[in-house]
Amino acid sequence: MTKEEIKDLVNLFAEMNISKIKIKDENGFEIELEKDIYPHLENPVCPPAATPQPINVNVVNEAQHNALAHSNNPSINSPMVGTFYQAPSPGATPFVKVGSMVKKGDVIAIIEAMKIMNEIEAEFNCRIIEVLVADGQPVEFGMPLFVVEKL
């Protein structure tokens, strides 16, 4: 492969929604590219900066509406502005789902803010009644993430 072809491949890989690619040619040339889409908090490698997306006000209002519909139950709200993730990595099992029993201190989600993955922990023992935010959705400070039943 020429340098230009390699540059094109790297640029294409950066734009794609895949985390790993390995290419070999008949001449023995081999290249492997890998990116960590959801690094753990302890991981010092940060993901590439995402293109900022405008927050969908209708989605925010819908989440707030759903939380109000369950007003007799408390909600767990976002402690920061960022991007909500339900699992520690792509394709992994979500931290919690509807019906999950959660203990105080259990990780229930991740919010990425300024290229840092912040684990969101339950503030009290509870059961998840409803997940109000979709995976990868931008969230605002104070926005309801989960409707819960305190235990």
Side-chain angles (χ1 to χ4, degrees):
M1 291 184 83
T2 67
K3 285 184 182 181
E4 195 60 38
E5 289 173 325
I6 293 172
K7 286 180 186 177
D8 290 343
L9 176 64
V10 169
N11 290 333
L12 179 64
F13 176 71
E15 296 172 4
M16 297 178 71
N17 192 22
I18 59 173
S19 61
K20 187 174 185 178
I21 188 169
K22 186 174 186 177
I23 298 174
K24 294 181 183 180
D25 72 9
E26 63 278 351
N27 299 326
F29 176 82
E30 183 177 325
I31 187 169
E32 185 173 350
L33 303 171
E34 185 172 0
K35 58 185 168 186
D36 195 359
I37 296 175
Y38 297 115
H40 188 273
L41 278 174
E42 303 299 319
N43 188 341
V45 177
C46 293
T51 304
Q53 298 294 320
I55 293 178
N56 183 340
V57 174
N58 293 331
V59 173
V60 172
N61 289 338
E62 180 182 333
Q64 291 169 341
H65 172 73
N66 287 341
L68 290 174
H70 295 282
S71 60
N72 57 337
N73 292 97
S75 62
I76 295 176
N77 301 330
S78 177
M80 65 189 70
V81 174
T83 304
F84 175 85
Y85 295 110
Q86 294 179 337
S89 63
T93 303
F95 291 108
V96 296
K97 57 185 177 184
V98 173
S100 293
M101 304 300 270
V102 180
K103 294 180 182 172
K104 179 179 179 177
D106 285 355
V107 175
I108 56 174
I110 291 176
I111 295 181
E112 177 186 7
M114 297 177 63
K115 299 183 184 181
I116 296 174
M117 299 299 179
N118 301 281
E119 292 182 337
I120 307 305
E121 297 178 352
E123 298 173 14
F124 46 80
N125 295 346
C126 60
R127 181 175 63 86
I128 304 296
I129 294 176
E130 187 174 359
V131 179
L132 301 173
V133 182
D135 195 48
Q137 178 182 331
V139 294
E140 292 288 328
F141 173 79
M143 180 177 169
L145 304 174
F146 303 94
V147 176
V148 298
E149 174 186 17
K150 278 189 174 182
L151 301 177

